[in-house]
Amino acid sequence: MLFTTLKTSSLQLSNRVVMSPLTRSRASQHNIPTALMAEYYGQRATAGLIITEGTSPSPNGLGYPRIPGLFNAAQVAGWRQVTDVVHSKGGKIVVQLMHTGRVTHVANLPAGAEVLGPSADRCPGEMFTDSQGMQQHSTPREMTQADIAATVDEYVQSAKLAIEAGFDGVELHAANGYLIEQFLNANVNKRTDGYGGNIEGRNRFALEVARATVAAIGADKVGIRMSPHGVLGGTGTFPEVDAQYLALTDALSSLKLAYIHVLDHSALGTPPVPEASKEALRVAFKGTFILAGGFDRVGAEAALAEGRADLIAFGRPFIANPDWVARMRSGAAGNELDMSTFYTPGPKGYTDYPTIGA
């Protein structure tokens, strides 16, 4: 099933292989996508669907060095290089909108930007900066309701720019401890107003972003990525997590989003998302369902055959294997990953991995 087409009202894909969003830190110092990035994504255009690396809808969300943005004309032009190449090779590509919120250090932000979060608690741990090396995360300012409204609008404007840049849609990043998940997670969100305190309050920001983005570009062009039971960025499980994500998924299903994308990081050593939770979300969402997290071809085929997902996302295999689809189809072995080049500038470990027969 992995190599069969998927055609829905939202998606027309040549196969059921999704390239997961993968931060690679190759944008310019002004967070503009480059010709090198266009080459990288073009090499991987045989995936049924490419989801780009996390891309900030706001200067405030540029948490890591050299990650791309999508909030000005230069960034639109940079991304247009990418979408043109992918489409010329028959691929489909959506941009993942990722606001890092409190997961940053001020040294990574442009002038005039600030570190924001649902609460004023600093994210535990450290963050790499190009100018100062490893630093503790900066303490965020607790967002006011005016800040929240302005941030929702930033997502809307970025989604509109995504369509202008030629993307087939956007994915809202509500996983991995970034801003939307910071609101969702009871261990991070300490608010007592209408954006916290209970399931409905914690879900409110995510749903406001989703509704506004849908209103701007259409539900058929909006997906979302979630990681219930995730632990990144100081999140972690909490007593109402399953009930909360089920309520969120019910609401997202009613919006008729293009897809939801559920991530399980247990292959990297974190606690697993319980199978019962994944099954409940699968039943609750009436559209296309993507599973991600440590899949190989055998596991992917099983998940599709058993109806646990419609699409399967692969992450690290696409870093080292631009032709990952062909390698899975033929049974060819994959290239060895060079983890030292995951986030370094330049083509090494980025566009120079060999393909079959090269």
Side-chain angles (χ1 to χ4, degrees), residues 1-4 15-17 295-312 314 325 328-329:
M1 290 184 67
L2 200 53
F3 309 111
T4 61
N15 57 62
R16 295 172 185 250
V17 178
F295 282 99
D296 57 15
R297 176 178 174 173
V298 172
E301 289 284 7
L304 293 172
E306 293 162 11
R308 290 186 278 125
D310 301 298
L311 299 167
I312 302 295
F314 298 84
V325 175
M328 283 196 293
R329 190 188 290 269

Side-chain angles (χ1 to χ4, degrees), residues 115-121 140-144 147 190-193:
V115 182
L116 298 175
S119 304
D121 295 340
R141 178 172 67 77
E142 181 174 312
M143 295 170 73
T144 65
D147 292 324
K190 308 295 178 58
R191 301 178 74 96
T192 57
D193 64 1

Side-chain angles (χ1 to χ4, degrees), residues 198-217:
N198 56 33
I199 287 174
E200 183 180 9
R202 290 190 296 270
N203 281 348
R204 182 176 173 184
F205 179 67
L207 290 173
E208 286 187 355
V209 172
R211 290 188 188 109
T213 307
V214 163
I217 64 170

